[in-house]
Amino acid sequence: MGDLNGKTALVTGSSRGIGRGIAQRLAEDGALIAVHYGSNEAAAKETVESITSAGGRAFSVRAELGLPGDADALFAGFDTELAACGAEPGLDILVNNAALNFPGHIDAVTYEEFDRTIAVNTRAPLFIIQQGLRRMRDGGRIINISSAVTSMAHPRQLAYSMSKGAMDTLTHTLAKDLGERGITVNTLSPGWVETDVTAARRATPEGEAALAAYSVFNRIGRPSDIADVAAFLASDDSRWITGQRLDVTGGSML
């Protein structure tokens, strides 16, 4: 895997789950990590401490996504904390992981929940990328976290599926636009992963077995399964890959 020493990475929604796994893995490879969180400061501190105790470098940045000016607030904090670390200004790796989900079939979706879903899952990443590109060095990496629901229908997650479908389109469109700067843009699409989101469904042996059965490996994904692929996309080894949606579901689509 490529050496990320001297690189700075921002991972949104990295206080827990997949985001935490990605932040930890990129730190292992040498990157300075900005751990973004929306409200759970304690969890963000845990992520930072897990990185620093292992010899890595990290700091936390708070910004509630989905509100007007969210990208501005995020990068104001990012710039301030980066300077406090004594690091050079700029950004090399941006991982758009933060998202929310209001489950609901077509007859249950509300205006408020739909607008909130789009604001956090689609609008925020767009403007975070816009702001991030003003800081990103040539040869940088943008990694968007999408979902298997964009290629495998889940009617109960309609609004979430729509928001993630937009992210897939954003990825290949931006990749075309940013090639001249050597910036790659790719999407990771996980399936069922051991996070707080799936905790309720994994609470019984039957529920866990049902989720595990989706994968050809007959197990539920772990955050590290996604993080290891993200580390590849963040490295120079992935320099000839852009505009792609990488299935990281453990063969759930086969």
Side-chain angles (χ1 to χ4, degrees):
M1 200 64 66
D3 185 358
L4 299 183
N5 285 316
K7 305 289 187 181
T8 298
L10 168 61
V11 184
T12 68
S14 51
S15 63
R16 295 177 295 171
I18 291 173
R20 174 181 284 186
I22 292 174
Q24 291 169 332
R25 176 55 204 270
L26 297 183
E28 288 176 13
D29 286 359
L32 168 62
I33 309 297
V35 175
H36 161 261
Y37 69 100
S39 59
N40 196 333
E41 183 179 5
K45 286 182 177 179
E46 288 178 6
T47 302
V48 171
E49 289 171 2
S50 72
I51 291 171
T52 57
S53 64
R57 299 182 302 150
F59 59 87
S60 62
V61 180
R62 183 185 183 280
E64 185 176 352
L65 303 185
L67 302 178
D70 51 5
D72 294 320
L74 172 61
F75 278 104
F78 173 84
D79 292 340
T80 297
E81 293 298 328
L82 193 63
C85 288
E88 290 293 324
L91 179 65
D92 301 285
I93 302 158
L94 172 60
V95 182
N96 287 300
N97 168 75
L100 54 76
N101 183 8
F102 294 102
H105 291 268
I106 181 62
D107 59 349
V109 176
T110 68
Y111 283 102
E112 294 78 11
E113 290 174 350
F114 180 80
D115 287 348
R116 179 69 176 154
T117 299
I118 296 300
V120 174
N121 298 4
T122 308
R123 189 183 71 197
L126 171 65
F127 289 102
I128 289 170
I129 291 171
Q130 183 188 73
Q131 291 276 353
L133 286 171
R134 297 170 185 170
R135 297 160 172 82
M136 184 167 284
R137 289 174 269 267
D138 289 354
R141 300 286 186 265
I142 298 173
I143 303 168
N144 296 320
I145 307 302
S146 182
S147 171
V149 298
T150 65
S151 58
M152 182 170 63
H154 278 268
R156 190 170 177 269
Q157 299 186 46
L158 178 60
Y160 178 76
S161 300
M162 292 175 66
S163 72
K164 290 301 186 178
M167 287 294 287
D168 290 353
T169 300
L170 174 65
T171 291
H172 73 246
T173 304
L174 272 176
K176 178 77 170 180
D177 199 27
L178 300 179
E180 290 184 359
R181 292 184 55 189
I183 296 172
T184 67
V185 190
N186 291 290
T187 290
L188 292 180
S189 294
W192 299 112
V193 180
E194 293 178 348
T195 65
D196 292 347
V197 175
T198 61
R201 298 194 63 173
R202 293 186 286 111
T204 65
E206 295 79 12
E208 183 160 357
L211 296 187
Y214 278 87
S215 167
V216 298
F217 303 117
N218 197 35
R219 71 169 175 86
I220 303 171
R222 295 182 280 268
S224 60
D225 294 323
I226 316 305
D228 288 347
V229 184
F232 165 68
L233 291 179
S235 75
D236 186 59
D237 294 346
S238 69
R239 62 192 173 276
W240 205 235
I241 300 173
T242 195
Q244 301 304 302
R245 175 186 178 276
L246 279 68
D247 182 302
V248 282
T249 66
S252 296
M253 302 299 163
L254 301 179

